[in-house]
Amino acid sequence: MFPASSVWRADVSKLPVHRSSGTLVNSIGATAHMHPDFGAGLWEGAPIGIPVTTVKPGQKTVKVTFEYADESDKGPYPVPADAKVEGGRSSDGDRHVILYDAAGCKVYELYAAYPSGSGWRAGSGAIYDLRSNKLRPAGWTSADAAGLSIFAGLVRYEEVAAGRITHALRITVPRSRNTYVWPARHAASNSSDANLPPMGLRLRLKASVDTSKMPKQARIIAEAMKKYGVIIADNGSPWYLSGAPDDRWSNDALRALKNLQGSDFEAVDTAGLMADKNSGAVRG
């Protein structure tokens, strides 16, 4: 994960409520229910969620050509022949490819990724040093609409099995505003409607929401949303929570998260955390 000082790992449970919280939550969907967009098994023939491929030390790198080359990291990227693609190899969806290099302490992320000859082609791509709080250049996308790391916000089974998640989680919203707030670096909208949330907005599950009766897997995730919150990272369905597929998930347990709805969340004001608009490190 990113350094302990990363905004992704900041405790937001005591931060002030955003002055427009009610309006922003309503625009996302106050009565819409949360949906864990990950789990065990297959859906329409593909694993459920955004998979992470752990690359071996010394993995051969390949050239990736980009549609949005001016906002993508050139690479090269250590994409193995059996790299996992979101939605499966025949998918026509977002086709994210997330490559985790534990030895190099880096993560490589691709959007709309397709094998091409001896390399790959993709819509966009980003490389993150997991030891650094450096953000992408202002205005740049990544493999995600907000210009943030997808890997950083995924719910992963290993964390839940260990008993706790120590970072914010990635969600999508139906409509966003054509602006972004720290730590996001990119907007993905043509609307200037101030009622809509900007990319990068942080929300948290209200402290008053009773999570004690949730199954363990769901409870650990819900507790993380109280302490670390969620970050709006892309346009999509309301309150869709991103995670990595794993056959050890209990889909029945995860369904308990669907009992949460938009009104159980509140937007938070993170301005006091920011030390430098070009760094993901929190004030400290």
Side-chain angles (χ1 to χ4, degrees):
M1 254 322 204
F2 287 104
S5 58
S6 169
V7 63
W8 281 99
R9 300 178 67 179
D11 182 344
V12 300
S13 62
K14 300 295 191 293
L15 290 184
V17 176
H18 194 287
R19 66 180 183 276
S20 300
S21 176
T23 299
L24 294 168
V25 167
N26 284 336
S27 75
I28 301 169
T31 60
H33 289 261
M34 172 157 277
H35 179 86
D37 200 21
F38 59 96
L42 304 177
W43 173 257
E44 296 184 346
I48 309 166
I50 302 176
V52 176
T53 300
T54 299
V55 298
K56 299 176 181 178
Q59 171 64 47
K60 180 181 177 181
T61 59
V62 300
K63 181 179 180 181
V64 181
T65 57
F66 294 104
E67 179 180 358
Y68 303 105
D70 57 335
E71 294 182 19
S72 295
D73 294 327
K74 294 181 180 179
Y77 288 71
V79 190
D82 60 350
K84 300 171 185 174
V85 179
E86 180 187 10
R89 286 294 183 118
S90 60
S91 167
D92 59 359
D94 285 347
R95 293 184 61 92
H96 288 113
V97 171
I98 310 298
L99 308 165
Y100 173 50
D101 177 4
C105 217
K106 290 184 178 180
V107 64
Y108 301 76
E109 305 185 357
L110 300 172
Y111 162 70
Y114 292 84
S116 178
S118 60
W120 285 65
R121 60 182 173 85
S124 54
I127 302 172
Y128 297 93
D129 182 344
L130 298 177
R131 298 162 295 193
S132 171
N133 281 313
K134 182 180 180 181
L135 297 178
R136 296 180 66 67
W140 276 34
T141 188
S142 59
D144 215 359
L148 296 170
S149 166
I150 294 172
F151 176 81
L154 291 180
V155 180
R156 290 175 287 129
Y157 177 81
E158 291 81 5
E159 299 172 301
V160 173
R164 65 190 183 121
I165 296 171
T166 59
H167 58 85
L169 304 176
R170 176 189 187 269
I171 64 163
T172 63
V173 297
R175 298 179 63 207
S176 59
R177 203 187 323 162
N178 62 349
T179 189
Y180 58 90
V181 295
W182 179 83
R185 307 299 274 169
H186 184 261
S189 173
N190 293 319
S191 176
S192 58
D193 185 349
N195 295 326
L196 297 176
M199 285 292 155
L201 181 71
R202 190 87 157 242
L203 303 105
R204 68 183 170 219
L205 185 62
K206 293 177 179 177
S208 59
V209 176
D210 183 9
T211 60
S212 63
K213 296 180 179 62
M214 284 184 168
K216 184 177 180 180
Q217 289 186 1
R219 186 176 70 253
I220 290 170
I221 296 168
E223 288 171 352
M225 291 191 290
K226 285 186 176 184
K227 184 171 183 177
Y228 301 101
V230 297
I231 296 180
I232 295 175
D234 200 359
N235 298 310
S237 298
W239 305 109
Y240 266 47
L241 180 67
S242 300
D246 196 297
D247 285 338
R248 293 169 293 181
W249 287 121
S250 166
N251 290 339
D252 286 340
L254 294 177
R255 286 189 191 100
L257 294 169
K258 294 184 177 183
N259 293 325
L260 301 174
Q261 59 182 24
S263 58
D264 292 322
F265 289 82
E266 57 195 4
V268 294
D269 184 351
T270 58
L273 293 178
M274 185 176 67
D276 181 340
K277 66 181 180 180
N278 293 313
S279 170
V282 298
R283 188 187 302 275

